[in-house]
Amino acid sequence: MTETKPSVNAAAITLPEPAELARLLGVAPQTVRVHEPHLFVGDARPLIEYTAFRSEDVLSHVLGSGWEKSKEEIELRALDGYFVRVPVAKLKQHRAYFAVARADGSPFMVDNPAQQESNLPLGPYYLIWDNVSDPALIRDGATHWPYQVSTVALRAPAMHSLLPDGIAPAYQRHAELAQKYCLSCHLVNGYGGDKMPINLADRVKRLSEPAFLTWVLDPAAVDAYTAMPAMAPMLPQAEREQIARDLYDYFLQLPVHQ
Ligand code: HEC
């Protein structure tokens, strides 16, 4: 393959149908066994086998092989407005796959108890990670496991939105936490996902710290039927609380635009 330089300004690319992708890549998808994080309850770590393409094959095909050398992020968008940005560095460090089916032929769906949803269709593409041979990934739970993915793009990190002028550089870590845990569904001043498009820079300033902490750590305590998942359920409680307090501090500091 010739090396091309993918551009961070290029339009997002719609992934071809799985059968067409197999033809274009010249490889059949393989069976990949993962601990399915959407099904983590208590200490249960159910194993599921998916049929999947290696992420490096898919990304090199659609973006050009130069994506691997960049310090950018891969943006994956789902049909329902959910969006995830995964740092290229994480994709280089761990094994990710684009799943297209269940290996045992059962429907390509999953339950998502954290968002009160069952029989969720996963296709056309579901980004999965080999957290069986790489158990460190279990800590991330379902973060960076977007389903119904239809488009892929290379993007520059959005630090101009997340760390605008006037915010101390020490908040970079907080901005990264917000991106990882919140901005797949919510916005900060226009940047983020459209699943629940509220501007956290604005909305959080109208919440007390205890109210915010409850939303983030235990949304079901606010509304038993909420579609908001609890943040980072796999992390120790003390660490979750620290992250939530840091996020509150960060959203209070952020200026509001739009
Ligand atoms: C998977 C999508 C998703 C993620 C990730 C997510 N949220 Fe939410 N959030 C929602 C949805 C959906 C609602 C609306 C819930 C409802 O009304 O029951 C919501 C509601 C909220 C509310 C209440 C808004 C209001 O005033 O009505 C706050 C505050 C909030 N989210 C903050 C956060 C923060 C902070 C994070 C990151 C730690 C986060 N959310 C991560 C989907 C998400």
Side-chain angles (χ1 to χ4, degrees), residues 44-186:
R45 305 280 172 267
L47 285 164
I48 298 214
E49 286 185 341
Y50 290 104
T51 302
F53 296 98
R54 294 182 344 147
S55 62
E56 53 269 45
D57 293 345
V58 176
L59 295 173
S60 295
H61 179 77
V62 295
L63 299 174
S65 55
W67 73 272
E68 297 191 49
K69 299 208 177 66
S70 75
K71 293 200 166 56
E72 320 290 0
E73 297 168 345
I74 301 291
E75 181 177 292
L76 303 162
R77 265 191 196 268
L79 304 168
D80 71 349
Y82 184 90
F83 108 133
V84 161
R85 289 214 181 165
V86 184
V88 165
K90 180 170 177 177
L91 285 158
K92 298 281 297 170
Q93 209 178 337
H94 305 282
R95 291 204 156 279
Y97 299 82
F98 285 82
V100 294
R102 286 277 293 262
D104 65 3
S106 58
F108 189 37
M109 295 181 181
V110 77
D111 290 343
N112 189 352
Q115 289 179 51
Q116 317 274 356
E117 294 171 302
S118 47
N119 293 327
L120 270 175
L122 297 172
Y125 290 95
Y126 175 33
L127 190 76
I128 63 172
W129 297 81
D130 178 2
N131 57 7
V132 172
S133 40
D134 193 352
L137 287 168
I138 288 181
R139 267 173 62 93
D140 283 353
T143 301
H144 295 151
W145 292 60
Y147 41 76
Q148 298 175 12
V149 171
S150 62
T151 70
V152 170
L154 191 72
R155 294 287 179 247
M159 285 304 151
H160 51 280
S161 303
L162 301 183
L163 273 184
D165 292 345
I167 294 281
Y171 280 100
Q172 163 127 17
R173 189 178 58 81
H174 305 58
E176 286 166 3
L177 291 169
Q179 169 144 23
K180 180 168 183 180
Y181 293 119
C182 315
L183 301 185
S184 45
C185 297
H186 301 304

Side-chain angles (χ1 to χ4, degrees), residues 115 181-182 184-186 196 203 207 212 215-216 226 228:
Q115 289 179 51
Y181 293 119
C182 315
S184 45
C185 297
H186 301 304
M196 170 72 179
R203 187 67 64 101
L207 291 174
F212 175 83
W215 260 116
V216 170
T226 185
M228 161 124 171

